[in-house]
Amino acid sequence: MKAMAVVGARPNFMKAAPVIEALRKYTGVEVKLVHTGQHYDRKMSALFFEELGMPRPDLDLQVGSASHGEQTGQILIRLEPVLTHERPDVVLVFGDVNSTVAAALCAAKLGIVVAHVEAGLRSFDRTMPEELNRIVTDHLSDVLFTTEPSADKNLLGEGISSDKICQVGNAMVDSLLKHRERAKTCRFRETLGLNRSSYAVLTLHRPSNVDVPEVFEEILQAVIELSQDLPIVFPCHPRTRQHFARITERLGFQWSEGGRERGGRFIVMEPLGYLEFLSLQAEARLILTDSGGIQEESMVLGVPCLTLRDNTERPITLQHGNNVLVGHSRSRILTEARRVLGLPSEPARAPKLWDGKAGERIAAILSSLRGPNPHRPV
Ligand code: UD1
């Protein structure tokens, strides 16, 4: 059996690593890895491969940054000859980025089985590019690996056959559990002079939050005010940085290489590697984020999370964990943050299948695939 995993953007790497590792243990299974090049900065890509112990990609399509249509189109154009030549039995795609939907479409058009890791999540907000990517990818996929019960329900509600759906747990959590101890040893917070459970971590990159200057400015005002209560560390995504530079002067900031501190309490920095971020996140008092994956990681780490969005495609983090949706209003962010900071810490709680074995379950199912379009494991 020949599997081809296609990755492209930062949140793909921690989901793909455990699946590739587990698949490689099967004799008779060949795994090839293609990187689309959607993310290409060392800190957004190569560093993650090194830290996660991933094999080097067999091929890098080097698509780079472009508009959504062009990026997706370029992946189709560059991946099609690769799939035609390699003829894998299954193409594995991860999450909800442009690389995911492009690879799924390319493979499905060539009649190759598509397996989607992290299928079925829905925010029900079609203004999010990721939501469109999720819907299209799921409807092109033959095997849909889900992380939480809501995903199965969403897929069934959209008419996808239960034969195709396999709830396997969360491959991203496999990576977290595997690397957690190693991350502890890097003690990243100490390099910033911060004590355990005495600071917050902020991440922001959703177009709806950072591409609209008024929205981004309102969030930053809340965060700067909150940084008087506790220091806030902000590893800044490249797309956010582009917008940040434009509004920081009005907020009394100037971007400089290596980041800049404001009174030592709002610490803005370049994106962090996987281990540094994990160590920072694990010892934080509070997370503020608009990321999908960080909501789940916070739940497993037992760190309260405020999600700076009006919706989440990961409702399990609201029901099961300590995630609260706060949108982008300054007053709501401050009120909720202060409320959460006044509560005692709660123990971490992980859903049943988030046990570090999702990659193994996925590999076991894939290794048993037979025939051209099985829809389900034998
Ligand atoms: C992408 C994903 C998003 C994911 C996020 C995590 C889509 C639609 N979005 O968003 O789901 O949560 O990655 O990081 O696929 N850039 C760099 N260096 C890089 C990569 C990007 O400078 O290595 C800059 C480019 O200027 C680019 C911008 O960041 O224009 C946005 O990058 P892009 O890959 O289009 O989407 P993200 O916002 O990173």
Side-chain angles (χ1 to χ4, degrees):
M1 206 273 284
K2 187 170 175 179
M4 184 175 280
V6 182
V7 294
R10 187 170 61 178
N12 289 162
F13 309 140
M14 52 294 258
K15 294 164 196 165
V19 178
I20 293 170
E21 187 185 339
L23 270 175
R24 290 203 157 164
K25 291 185 186 147
Y26 284 81
T27 46
V29 176
E30 186 192 356
V31 192
K32 292 245 168 161
L33 178 61
V34 174
H35 192 322
T36 65
Q38 176 176 344
H39 284 176
Y40 44 85
D41 286 350
R42 177 171 160 72
K43 288 199 156 180
M44 298 292 287
S45 178
L47 183 56
F48 283 75
F49 275 70
E50 291 162 21
E51 292 187 335
L52 292 161
M54 277 172 85
R56 284 168 70 91
D58 297 286
L59 192 71
D60 187 339
L61 303 178
Q62 298 187 326
V63 295
S65 298
S67 67
H68 283 261
E70 189 180 343
Q71 196 172 55
T72 309
Q74 281 298 333
I75 298 169
L76 279 167
I77 291 166
R78 296 178 196 201
L79 187 60
E80 187 175 53
V82 178
L83 294 182
T84 307
H85 178 250
E86 294 280 343
R87 291 304 308 179
D89 298 297
V90 57
V91 165
L92 269 162
V93 296
F94 304 85
D96 57 14
V97 301
N98 287 341
S99 299
T100 311
V101 71
L105 181 57
C106 198
K109 291 248 180 174
L110 292 170
I112 299 168
V113 172
V114 179
H116 184 201
V117 175
E118 198 188 83
L121 298 179
R122 296 288 183 269
S123 65
F124 302 101
D125 174 2
R126 290 200 179 201
T127 65
M128 286 178 77
E130 293 83 359
E131 180 76 351
L132 302 178
N133 292 345
R134 290 180 201 119
I135 294 167
V136 175
T137 303
D138 285 339
H139 285 262
L140 291 168
S141 295
D142 304 288
V143 189
L144 295 103
F145 294 115
T146 58
T147 52
E148 60 167 283
S150 75
D152 294 42
K153 194 167 154 250
N154 294 335
L155 294 172
L156 294 171
E158 289 174 21
I160 291 177
S161 162
S162 61
D163 289 351
K164 296 183 180 182
I165 305 168
C166 314
Q167 198 177 139
V168 288
N170 194 320
M172 189 188 64
V173 173
D174 291 9
S175 286
L176 185 152
L177 297 177
K178 178 174 175 187
H179 296 287
R180 193 177 175 171
E181 287 306 311
R182 194 153 68 98
K184 269 189 195 160
T185 62
C186 85
R187 297 175 171 276
F188 185 67
R189 65 169 171 77
E190 287 179 14
T191 65
L192 302 174
L194 297 170
N195 294 324
R196 193 189 165 93
S197 296
S198 70
Y199 61 91
V201 177
L202 169 71
T203 81
L204 278 177
H205 75 276
R206 292 265 158 244
S208 57
N209 278 338
V210 302
D211 291 7
V212 185
E214 297 75 34
V215 174
F216 191 19
E217 200 169 322
E218 183 159 355
I219 293 172
L220 284 179
Q221 277 170 355
V223 169
I224 288 169
E225 197 172 329
L226 186 64
S227 72
Q228 298 312 311
D229 298 27
L230 82 174
I232 298 180
V233 188
F234 181 26
C236 195
H237 186 283
R239 73 170 294 125
T240 309
R241 180 181 167 167
Q242 292 164 12
H243 299 289
F244 194 59
R246 273 181 229 133
I247 61 168
T248 43
E249 266 177 47
R250 280 212 298 281
L251 293 166
F253 256 85
Q254 261 188 335
W255 178 273
S256 61
E257 279 311 316
R260 184 185 155 101
E261 300 182 22
R262 181 192 164 103
R265 299 190 70 86
F266 183 41
I267 304 168
V268 187
M269 54 179 45
E270 300 287 324
L272 296 175
Y274 184 70
L275 296 176
E276 284 176 343
F277 188 75
L278 183 53
S279 90
L280 193 65
Q281 196 183 2
E283 300 200 324
R285 178 70 185 87
L286 179 68
I287 307 284
L288 300 118
T289 191
D290 61 6
S291 151
I294 292 173
Q295 296 171 52
E296 296 179 339
E297 289 174 342
S298 304
M299 175 166 83
V300 175
L301 293 168
V303 180
C305 179
L306 298 186
T307 296
L308 305 169
R309 289 171 48 190
D310 296 321
N311 54 54
T312 179
E313 59 288 335
R314 292 158 161 94
I316 201 166
T317 62
L318 303 176
Q319 298 143 8
H320 205 287
N322 38 13
N323 185 22
V324 184
L325 297 176
V326 295
H328 63 262
S329 117
R330 179 180 155 277
S331 60
R332 179 95 210 278
I333 295 169
L334 284 168
T335 307
E336 277 300 323
R338 287 175 175 147
R339 185 187 66 78
V340 169
L341 290 173
L343 298 173
S345 320
E346 282 191 37
R349 280 173 297 177
K352 201 172 72 197
L353 290 174
W354 296 23
D355 56 359
K357 296 192 170 70
E360 287 172 22
R361 291 187 194 101
I362 291 169
I365 292 167
L366 289 178
S367 67
S368 68
L369 288 179
R370 297 284 180 272
N373 199 0
H375 290 315
R376 69 167 306 165
V378 187

